[in-house]
Amino acid sequence: MEFSIQRDYFLNQLNDTLKAISPRTTLPILTGIKIDATSDKVILTGSDSEISIEIAIPKEQDGETIVDIAETGSVVLPGRFFVDIVKKLPGKEVKLSTNEQFQTLITSGLSEFNLSGLDPDQYPLLPEVSRDDAIQLPIKVLKNVIAQTNFAVSTSETRPVLTGVNWLIQDNELICTATDSHRLAVRKLKLEDETNEDKNVIIPGKALAELNKIMSDSDDNIDIFFASNQVLFRVGNVNFISRLLEGHYPDTSRLFPENFEIKLGINNSDFYHAIDRASLLAREGGNNVIKLSTGNELVELSSTSPEIGTVKEEVTASDVEGGNLKISFNSKYMMDALKAIDNDEVEVEFFGTMKPFILKPKDDDSVTQLILPIRTY
């Protein structure tokens, strides 16, 4: 194998490939990046057996030569070490050449490295994902969906299904649900293509977080393909494959109460910053608890730290339906929920002091955040 490639472009693609590599893998070869030089492109592959990223680097892009391939072939090079080398090389171009023992010579400018590569035949094959029945979303929409749900997944492995986001496709609608059993985030999205098959899958939260880092804020679309236990996201030259979580996601629809006792319309930014200030003392108390009480149009927020003192904030609500209520909540959960709502005005519905309450954008049911209160009163 022998090719020369633009260093900066190569480094960007290597860094994205590296996002799939874990140092804690049980297969030593998976700490490496697989490099395939074919007649018309160079393919980079990284995997930790849960997530796999495959990036194709074309010979030319926008009329500019990216890579010049002199000899085809493959090798697996130690991932993080190789990327660090490329990052520090002095020249604008990098040349790689391997021999039959997979010894790889890396040259750039006056620098020369010799790396011991591994046999690419020992590298596990990527899972096959059918290219049929894809759904297509604009990248900006998918990034938005991930931002509005992924923060609510559980970080505890005691219930593995809760470490993922449930993607339910039915009646031409995508419903994404995430919960850690203390809070819940739901995002609904109408799909444009009316031929989509019904699906019910759980995508790991970690995979969605890594995918979000790789996707640039472009106007392109992303194709999403499902297999029995894998999902493939394809955008441009990048294939991102994740395994799906096994098990049944809990039915969360019954968590939503019917009739609210109190409903507030409130400015998102004012509410968020008041909670942020009140949380300064809540964090010191070690439990992030903020008390909220409603009365007329004023919403009072308070928090106490025995060692430091107390704080009281007042926010004016624009619409108030119902009477008075006192409730306590985790300030971080509330701020995460408000951040996930892309709307200046937020509606908050309370159903009782010890019942979950709901936040959503005003006059919009596409995003719903549900939070369980904390018993303090």
Side-chain angles (χ1 to χ4, degrees), residues 29-298:
I29 199 163
L30 288 183
T31 59
I33 290 176
K34 185 182 176 192
I35 302 170
D36 288 299
T38 67
S39 58
D40 61 345
K41 59 182 175 286
V42 170
I43 302 166
L44 306 176
T45 307
S47 178
D48 66 357
S49 73
E50 306 276 313
I51 297 171
S52 303
I53 295 172
E54 186 183 77
I55 299 178
I57 301 173
K59 284 177 102 170
E60 285 188 9
Q61 195 165 42
D62 302 327
E64 186 182 6
T65 301
I66 302 286
V67 58
D68 184 13
I69 301 162
E71 188 182 341
T72 61
S74 304
V75 69
V76 178
L77 295 176
R80 292 178 191 282
F81 195 66
F82 177 55
V83 174
D84 281 343
I85 289 172
V86 174
K87 194 183 294 178
K88 291 184 164 61
L89 287 173
K92 289 189 175 179
E93 278 210 341
V94 181
K95 182 179 176 185
L96 265 73
S97 57
T98 58
N99 64 16
E100 289 177 3
Q101 285 74 45
F102 307 108
Q103 286 291 322
T104 303
L105 180 66
I106 304 160
T107 53
S108 179
L110 299 174
S111 293
E112 186 176 291
F113 284 83
N114 247 309
L115 277 189
S116 298
L118 296 169
D119 183 350
D121 290 342
Q122 303 301 314
Y123 197 88
L125 291 172
L126 288 193
E128 282 294 316
V129 179
S130 164
R131 298 294 201 272
D132 300 333
D133 65 359
I135 65 169
Q136 195 176 68
L137 296 176
I139 287 177
K140 285 180 178 171
V141 171
L142 179 57
K143 284 181 81 75
N144 192 248
V145 167
I146 293 172
Q148 289 173 327
T149 53
N150 210 41
F151 65 88
V153 299
S154 174
T155 53
S156 165
E157 292 291 339
T158 50
R159 290 185 70 191
V161 292
L162 297 188
T163 63
V165 181
N166 182 214
W167 280 36
L168 177 66
I169 300 172
Q170 63 181 21
D171 301 330
N172 222 45
E173 185 178 45
L174 170 64
I175 303 169
C176 299
T177 306
T179 182
D180 59 6
S181 72
H182 299 290
R183 56 176 167 177
L184 180 120
V186 179
R187 172 70 152 91
K188 296 179 181 178
L189 181 70
K190 273 282 173 209
L191 298 173
E192 288 182 10
D193 183 359
E194 297 189 2
T195 60
N196 291 301
E197 282 185 23
D198 288 2
K199 291 270 187 301
N200 190 350
V201 299
I202 308 167
I203 304 176
K206 284 179 185 172
L208 291 169
E210 293 302 339
L211 175 67
N212 210 17
K213 290 177 194 169
I214 288 176
M215 291 187 295
S216 57
D217 276 320
S218 73
D219 293 323
D220 295 339
N221 286 335
I222 188 161
D223 292 315
I224 305 165
F225 306 88
F226 296 98
S228 57
N229 60 347
Q230 307 279 343
V231 58
L232 163 64
F233 297 88
R234 187 171 65 197
V235 56
N237 296 324
V238 180
N239 285 340
F240 183 102
I241 302 168
S242 168
R243 73 175 181 89
L244 298 171
L245 293 176
E246 293 177 8
H248 294 287
Y249 204 80
D251 177 15
T252 56
S253 58
R254 55 193 172 76
L255 293 174
F256 294 90
E258 285 294 316
N259 302 309
F260 60 83
E261 284 185 15
I262 295 170
K263 182 176 177 180
L264 304 174
I266 201 160
N267 180 275
N268 192 336
S269 178
D270 292 350
F271 198 27
Y272 179 90
H273 287 106
I275 293 167
D276 192 16
R277 289 189 294 271
S279 73
L280 290 170
L281 264 67
R283 284 202 300 272
E284 285 300 322
N287 54 9
N288 284 343
V289 175
I290 288 180
K291 295 179 179 179
L292 176 147
S293 59
T294 63
N296 300 324
E297 291 181 353
L298 280 182

